[in-house]
Amino acid sequence: MSKLDANLDFDAIVIGGGFSGIYAVHRLKNELNLDVIAFEKGGHVGGTWYWNRYPGALSDTESFVYRFSFDKELLQEYTWTHNYLTQKEVLNYLTHVTERYNIKDNFKLNTEVTKVKFNEDESYWEVTTNHEKTYTAQFLICGLGLLSAVHKPNIPGIDNFKGQYYHTAQWPENADYKGKKVGVIGTGSTGIQLITAIAPEVEHLTVFQRTAQYNVPLGYRKQSEEEIAEIKANYDQIWDTVRNSVTAFGYPDTNISAMDHSEEEREAKFEEAWKRGNGFYFLNHVFNDLATNREANDAAANFIKKKIKEIVKDPETAEKLTPKEPYARRPCANDGYYYTFNRDNVSLVDIKANPIVEVTEKGIRTTEGEHELDVIIFATGFDAMDGNYTKFPMIGRNNVVLKDKWKNGSRSYLGIMESDFPNMFMSRAPLSSFTNNPPAIESELGWAIDLIKYLIDNNLRTAEPTKEAVDGWYDLCLKLSEGSLFGETQSWIFGANIPGKPVSVRFYMGGMGNYNKELEKRGFSELVFD
Ligand code: N01
């Protein structure tokens, strides 16, 4: 393999060993024949699925579309047993992919990137790691993950706590919670899975809930060999649906408005979806307007509220678990969540009504009193989307620092590039599509890798979007987000979960199909080349 530029250490440097990093390394190495190195902070590839090892961790995207689509043989050969994949199963899948494509050794593990800088004189990237080494390459691909910069709130007194405490995304090997008095802070997708999984294993579980969540059943079940064979036989059509649909979760779009139905018909549809399971299905595929039409959203919200009342035996607990906001966060789905609160060893503390004051030596003190605990688990989420791009210096042309550039809200072109950052490609970054991740990664990095090939084939050194192109993409994303009820909830989707973070649009909300059309329509026409 001859290098593109003999003066540089590599042709391309990839940051991250999750779905994005693995896909990028495979295509750059095996298709473009480039010399690639990838840096991964963890001790194994897997990204999200390496770090999030908490009990109950499982992908709530259905197994058949939670995988890469680019290799038809892999799709046929690699199989699954249930309609959802556990954390371990996703990790095994990703490990298998790195072995299949002979890219395992391209990943330098336990290596954290601490700085990236564009060398303007000679147009290449310098990438520095925690091992105090700096490497150079023409292309930089960032697969930093959209939900990986951990958000662990600074609660006064935490250092005085005598027991173990940890964040779900930094689950320690020696986590010792079984048979103990455990407190969980946070009731998002992670908290909901964790709470349901550990409740039977602990002496007592105290759940500290700030905002009640809407949860629908997941419908986790074994899939028969026949069912899986049928999926595999129809994969061409399935991926076609995925790539052209709104959510890319493998379900066809619906054009039925909830308000076109009588109340009875609507309830029947919700009931059917409740029995079927899956949050994305419930929110997006029964009707097309739950996330945008207040009346439709209220109808769905009220249906779930009724279910909470039916399931949870203690009326006071049921009331605390009942959300007060629209049904417009990233949907949660778990089969046992509400039932867990019927257990004698589980109690729910409403920390909106009675906020946490401090952590003491013995537990957590709220305005209401002290809760004695042996273990505290933070299921408090992430500085999503841009958190990983702002936590270490990323320096582009003219010494522009990405963190400063994004201080009033993050921008990008197609969710992939940013002006002043030539030849830097991002995956699942701000203003990328609000969809299932693996197909989105294939679209974004597919476009990026086509561009890299174009540069090489045409003997060009760099590509960069114009400022107008970046602004135009932002304006489109902003326009598409208007009317989304998601903007009314304080979640990570608009950056509202992190104190002090600018609340702004962070996704392209036009759907996977339209996103793919945008990539095709624009091609490389809004880039400047050098
Ligand atoms: O994080 P979250 P997550 N004091 O931000 C609370 C994906 N995911 O890790 O809502 C007290 O949703 C916070 O309260 P509030 C998925 O995309 C997927 O659960 O801000 N509480 C909230 O309850 C998901 O959306 C899967 O009032 C505090 C919780 O912590 C995304 O990851 C599984 C607090 C954080 O919820 C993030 O989910 C898991 C504080 N200072 C995750 N700060 C599947 O595929 C925060 N909270 C199934």
Side-chain angles (χ1 to χ4, degrees):
M1 176 194 313
S2 63
K3 273 220 206 70
L4 294 173
D5 180 340
N7 295 317
L8 302 182
D9 296 323
F10 297 97
D11 297 323
I13 293 177
V14 174
I15 313 177
F19 266 96
S20 295
I22 290 170
Y23 180 74
V25 171
H26 162 58
R27 292 208 49 202
L28 292 168
K29 176 178 174 176
N30 296 324
E31 272 181 47
L32 301 195
N33 202 26
L34 299 188
D35 189 11
V36 189
I37 192 168
F39 298 119
E40 164 55 53
K41 186 169 119 188
H44 198 282
V45 292
T48 288
W49 301 101
Y50 167 78
W51 292 106
N52 288 269
R53 279 165 283 165
Y54 60 86
L58 162 143
S59 165
D60 60 4
T61 300
E62 293 196 37
S63 307
F64 75 120
V65 288
Y66 203 66
R67 55 195 60 241
F68 293 120
S69 72
F70 66 85
D71 181 342
K72 288 191 181 189
E73 275 175 25
L74 176 64
L75 284 170
Q76 296 303 320
E77 283 170 25
Y78 202 86
T79 203
W80 63 93
T81 57
H82 287 71
N83 57 341
Y84 297 96
L85 302 167
T86 62
Q87 171 263 335
K88 247 199 191 111
E89 288 169 328
V90 183
L91 194 59
N92 288 344
Y93 167 74
L94 290 173
T95 307
H96 173 81
V97 171
T98 59
E99 285 162 0
R100 178 183 176 91
Y101 302 112
N102 194 25
I103 55 174
K104 220 173 162 181
D105 293 341
N106 292 77
F107 287 88
K108 298 301 156 216
L109 304 174
N110 302 304
T111 305
E112 184 173 2
V113 170
T114 53
K115 181 178 169 184
V116 300
K117 186 173 188 324
F118 186 67
N119 181 312
E120 220 169 323
D121 295 334
E122 297 184 46
S123 296
Y124 61 80
W125 282 95
E126 298 163 0
V127 176
T128 306
T129 73
N130 60 337
H131 304 305
E132 310 296 326
K133 284 199 177 142
T134 297
Y135 303 85
T136 55
Q138 188 173 341
F139 302 107
L140 176 63
I141 293 90
C142 303
L144 307 185
L146 74 167
L147 290 153
S148 53
V150 161
H151 169 55
K152 186 146 119 225
N154 240 338
I155 302 181
I158 188 72
D159 294 334
N160 302 329
F161 184 58
K162 292 278 187 243
Q164 280 192 326
Y165 63 94
Y166 34 81
H167 190 281
T168 46
Q170 295 166 332
W171 196 259
E173 300 247 319
N174 65 346
D176 181 19
Y177 65 89
K178 291 185 183 171
K180 300 267 161 85
K181 290 195 278 293
V182 178
V184 172
I185 306 175
T187 53
S189 296
T190 302
I192 281 175
Q193 291 185 329
L194 173 81
I195 288 161
T196 310
I198 66 173
E201 301 178 328
V202 301
E203 182 194 319
H204 190 87
L205 180 62
T206 309
V207 175
F208 295 89
Q209 171 195 273
R210 193 165 63 180
T211 307
Q213 284 267 14
Y214 293 92
N215 176 66
V216 305
L218 186 66
Y220 182 70
R221 63 182 172 83
K222 196 164 168 32
Q223 287 187 295
S224 67
E225 280 180 25
E226 293 72 36
E227 194 180 348
I228 293 173
E230 198 184 325
I231 289 171
K232 289 186 175 181
N234 287 310
Y235 253 137
D236 285 349
Q237 194 209 316
I238 287 169
W239 290 114
D240 191 57
T241 301
V242 167
R243 292 185 195 112
N244 290 297
S245 66
V246 173
T247 62
F249 285 112
Y251 317 123
D253 292 337
T254 173
N255 56 7
I256 303 169
S257 156
M259 304 328 287
D260 289 345
H261 287 272
S262 70
E263 197 180 331
E264 290 71 37
E265 287 166 338
R266 226 173 15 239
E267 291 291 296
K269 288 259 184 203
F270 285 142
E271 191 62 50
E272 209 178 290
W274 184 270
K275 289 208 175 86
R276 182 199 182 285
N278 192 290
F280 302 110
Y281 184 82
F282 196 98
L283 186 60
N284 302 296
H285 292 273
V286 182
F287 299 113
N288 68 354
D289 53 356
L290 298 191
T292 49
N293 178 316
R294 194 168 304 276
E295 240 185 305
N297 190 276
D298 281 349
N302 288 336
F303 177 86
I304 300 173
K305 288 177 187 175
K306 214 167 58 201
K307 289 287 184 192
I308 298 172
K309 229 181 203 159
E310 276 167 27
I311 296 168
V312 181
K313 292 192 181 125
D314 172 43
E316 203 181 309
T317 307
E319 180 53 31
K320 281 188 207 163
L321 284 167
T322 301
K324 310 289 181 282
E325 56 178 23
Y327 180 30
R329 289 181 178 224
R330 192 278 198 191
C332 293
N334 185 286
D335 290 320
Y337 183 61
Y338 292 130
Y339 293 95
T340 298
F341 292 90
N342 291 334
R343 297 180 63 92
D344 290 337
N345 70 335
V346 175
S347 48
L348 180 65
V349 179
D350 177 353
I351 54 169
K352 199 161 256 169
N354 301 292
I356 293 175
V357 177
E358 60 171 350
V359 176
T360 64
E361 281 187 14
K362 288 194 289 183
I364 291 181
R365 194 163 68 78
T366 69
T367 51
E368 217 182 14
E370 190 174 19
H371 299 268
E372 281 198 21
L373 302 166
D374 303 313
V375 178
I376 299 173
I377 304 175
F378 288 86
T380 44
F382 304 90
D383 181 353
M385 311 302 291
D386 36 4
N388 263 346
Y389 288 87
T390 53
K391 74 177 187 190
F392 64 92
M394 302 188 84
I395 306 165
R397 271 192 210 287
N398 305 313
N399 281 320
V400 170
V401 179
L402 198 60
K403 184 178 180 174
D404 299 337
K405 204 171 160 84
W406 287 0
K407 69 175 184 296
N408 297 321
S410 34
R411 295 275 199 282
S412 75
Y413 177 59
L414 307 171
I416 307 173
M417 296 188 86
E418 173 56 299
S419 57
D420 293 323
F421 289 77
N423 285 6
M424 184 178 102
F425 304 96
M426 304 178 283
S427 174
R428 307 314 282 136
L431 307 185
S432 57
S433 65
F434 191 44
T435 58
N436 180 19
N437 286 312
I441 288 165
E442 290 186 324
S443 290
E444 291 160 21
L445 289 177
W447 182 91
I449 287 159
D450 286 351
L451 173 55
I452 291 174
K453 184 171 185 314
Y454 176 86
L455 290 172
I456 296 168
D457 290 349
N458 291 282
N459 218 7
L460 294 162
R461 181 75 177 193
T462 63
E464 179 184 348
T466 61
K467 176 146 188 342
E468 293 69 40
V470 174
D471 289 345
W473 185 250
Y474 174 80
D475 290 344
L476 175 64
C477 291
L478 189 64
K479 190 160 160 247
L480 289 168
S481 74
E482 281 162 8
S484 166
L485 296 170
F486 274 71
E488 293 187 14
T489 59
Q490 302 289 302
S491 80
W492 62 267
I493 307 282
F494 280 78
N497 64 325
I498 303 295
K501 185 169 173 172
V503 175
S504 72
V505 61
R506 281 190 166 72
F507 279 106
Y508 167 87
M509 290 183 156
M512 189 82 253
N514 286 331
Y515 178 81
N516 284 331
K517 282 187 197 134
E518 290 287 352
L519 292 184
E520 209 176 304
K521 182 180 85 188
R522 291 166 194 250
F524 309 140
S525 65
E526 293 172 305
L527 304 175
V528 282
F529 297 97
D530 206 354

